[in-house]
Amino acid sequence: MKVTQELIEQTLSRFAVLFPVPEHSKTPELASVWYGLFNDMGVEIFSAACRDCAMELKSFPLPADVQRFAGTYQVASMIRTKRTQPAEAQAE
């Protein structure tokens, strides 16, 4: 399942509770911008990366922060997918 606009809005609301929202980010377009960047990412990876941002960062996350934390989960997901593929599919 891919990231939805609703998930982005919920995530940004949670971040706003945890961190002061920068003035330049207080726009109605913020959720749309984030959705445009993350709409092709899996929900599990996005949620895990956002959880890491909430636990590790000291200021409102930038999309680059989420992408950086997502990298670890994306690699792990690719490895799991490769391990579960039949041997014939891996040989191609």
Side-chain angles (χ1 to χ4, degrees), residues 82 85-92:
K82 196 163 193 102
Q85 290 178 345
E88 303 85 41
Q90 288 182 17
E92 295 175 5

Side-chain angles (χ1 to χ4, degrees), residues 4-92:
T4 64
Q5 179 84 19
E6 182 180 359
L7 177 60
I8 294 286
E9 291 169 1
Q10 290 171 352
T11 301
L12 291 172
S13 292
R14 286 187 194 114
F15 285 154
V17 170
L18 296 171
F19 308 106
V21 180
E23 283 301 316
H24 67 274
S25 293
K26 293 182 180 177
T27 67
E29 297 85 16
L30 183 63
S32 295
V33 169
W34 277 56
Y35 179 69
L37 295 169
F38 296 112
N39 64 18
D40 61 345
M41 185 178 284
V43 170
E44 299 81 15
I45 292 171
F46 179 78
S47 296
C50 289
R51 183 192 64 236
D52 289 353
C53 284
M55 294 178 69
E56 298 291 330
L57 299 179
K58 294 181 172 128
S59 60
F60 197 90
L62 297 172
D65 295 319
V66 176
Q67 186 62 49
R68 180 170 46 94
F69 283 108
T72 303
Y73 298 105
Q74 289 169 326
V75 169
S77 176
M78 289 188 309
I79 291 170
R80 277 194 306 276
T81 301
K82 196 163 193 102
R83 285 182 182 167
T84 59
Q85 290 178 345
E88 303 85 41
Q90 288 182 17
E92 295 175 5

